[in-house]
CSV table of all heavy atoms in Angstrom, one decimal:
chain,number,residue,atom,x,y,z
A,35,ASP,N,-31.8,145.3,-38.2
A,35,ASP,CA,-30.6,145.1,-38.9
A,35,ASP,C,-31.1,144.4,-40.3
A,35,ASP,O,-32.2,144.0,-40.5
A,35,ASP,CB,-29.7,144.1,-38.3
A,35,ASP,CG,-28.4,143.7,-39.0
A,35,ASP,OD1,-27.7,144.6,-39.5
A,35,ASP,OD2,-28.2,142.6,-39.2
A,36,LEU,N,-30.1,144.6,-41.4
A,36,LEU,CA,-30.6,144.2,-42.8
A,36,LEU,C,-30.1,142.8,-43.0
A,36,LEU,O,-30.8,141.9,-43.3
A,36,LEU,CB,-30.2,145.2,-43.7
A,36,LEU,CG,-31.1,146.5,-43.8
A,36,LEU,CD1,-30.4,147.6,-44.6
A,36,LEU,CD2,-32.5,146.2,-44.1
A,37,ASP,N,-28.7,142.7,-43.1
A,37,ASP,CA,-28.2,141.5,-43.5
A,37,ASP,C,-28.3,140.4,-42.5
A,37,ASP,O,-27.9,140.5,-41.4
A,37,ASP,CB,-26.5,141.6,-43.8
A,37,ASP,CG,-26.3,141.5,-45.3
A,37,ASP,OD1,-26.6,140.6,-45.9
A,37,ASP,OD2,-25.7,142.5,-45.8
A,38,GLY,N,-28.9,139.3,-42.9
A,38,GLY,CA,-29.1,138.1,-42.1
A,38,GLY,C,-30.4,138.2,-41.3
A,38,GLY,O,-30.9,137.3,-40.5
A,39,VAL,N,-31.2,139.4,-41.4
A,39,VAL,CA,-32.3,139.6,-40.8
A,39,VAL,C,-33.5,139.8,-41.8
A,39,VAL,O,-34.5,139.0,-41.8
A,39,VAL,CB,-32.4,140.8,-39.8
A,39,VAL,CG1,-33.7,141.1,-39.3
A,39,VAL,CG2,-31.3,140.7,-38.8
A,182,PRO,N,-20.7,139.8,-45.5
A,182,PRO,CA,-21.2,138.8,-46.2
A,182,PRO,C,-21.6,139.2,-47.7
A,182,PRO,O,-22.0,140.3,-47.9
A,182,PRO,CB,-22.6,138.4,-45.5
A,182,PRO,CG,-23.0,139.6,-44.7
A,182,PRO,CD,-21.8,140.4,-44.4
A,211,LYS,N,-22.5,150.3,-35.2
A,211,LYS,CA,-22.8,149.4,-34.1
A,211,LYS,C,-21.7,148.6,-33.7
A,211,LYS,O,-20.8,148.3,-34.5
A,211,LYS,CB,-23.9,148.4,-34.7
A,211,LYS,CG,-25.2,149.0,-35.1
A,211,LYS,CD,-26.3,147.8,-35.4
A,211,LYS,CE,-26.4,147.9,-36.9
A,211,LYS,NZ,-27.4,146.9,-37.5
A,233,GLY,N,-31.8,141.9,-34.6
A,233,GLY,CA,-30.6,141.6,-35.3
A,233,GLY,C,-30.1,140.2,-35.2
A,233,GLY,O,-30.8,139.3,-34.6
A,234,ASP,N,-29.2,139.9,-36.0
A,234,ASP,CA,-28.7,138.5,-36.1
A,234,ASP,C,-27.2,138.4,-35.6
A,234,ASP,O,-26.7,137.3,-35.4
A,234,ASP,CB,-28.7,138.1,-37.4
A,234,ASP,CG,-27.6,138.7,-38.4
A,234,ASP,OD1,-27.4,139.8,-38.2
A,234,ASP,OD2,-26.9,138.0,-39.1
A,235,ARG,N,-26.6,139.5,-35.1
A,235,ARG,CA,-25.3,139.5,-34.7
A,235,ARG,C,-25.1,139.9,-33.3
A,235,ARG,O,-25.5,140.9,-32.8
A,235,ARG,CB,-24.4,140.4,-35.7
A,235,ARG,CG,-23.1,139.8,-36.0
A,235,ARG,CD,-22.3,140.8,-36.8
A,235,ARG,NE,-21.0,140.5,-36.6
A,235,ARG,CZ,-20.2,139.8,-37.4
A,235,ARG,NH1,-20.6,139.5,-38.5
A,235,ARG,NH2,-19.0,139.5,-37.1
A,238,THR,N,-22.6,143.2,-32.6
A,238,THR,CA,-22.9,144.5,-33.2
A,238,THR,C,-24.4,144.9,-32.8
A,238,THR,O,-24.6,145.8,-32.0
A,238,THR,CB,-22.8,144.5,-34.7
A,238,THR,OG1,-23.6,143.4,-35.2
A,238,THR,CG2,-21.4,144.4,-35.2
A,239,ASP,N,-25.4,144.0,-33.2
A,239,ASP,CA,-26.8,144.5,-33.0
A,239,ASP,C,-27.1,144.3,-31.4
A,239,ASP,O,-27.6,145.3,-31.0
A,239,ASP,CB,-27.7,143.5,-33.8
A,239,ASP,CG,-27.4,143.5,-35.2
A,239,ASP,OD1,-27.1,144.5,-35.8
A,239,ASP,OD2,-27.3,142.4,-35.9
A,256,GLY,N,-29.3,134.6,-39.4
A,256,GLY,CA,-28.0,135.1,-39.8
A,256,GLY,C,-26.9,134.2,-39.3
A,256,GLY,O,-26.8,133.1,-39.4
A,257,VAL,N,-25.9,135.1,-38.7
A,257,VAL,CA,-24.6,134.6,-38.5
A,257,VAL,C,-24.5,134.0,-37.0
A,257,VAL,O,-23.6,133.2,-36.9
A,257,VAL,CB,-23.5,135.6,-38.6
A,257,VAL,CG1,-23.4,136.2,-39.9
A,257,VAL,CG2,-23.8,136.7,-37.5
B,429,MG,MG1,-26.8,141.3,-39.9
Side-chain angles (χ1 to χ4, degrees):
D35 178 51
L36 287 171
D37 252 304
V39 175
K211 293 184 263 187
D234 69 315
R235 219 182 153 105
T238 52
D239 306 319
V257 298

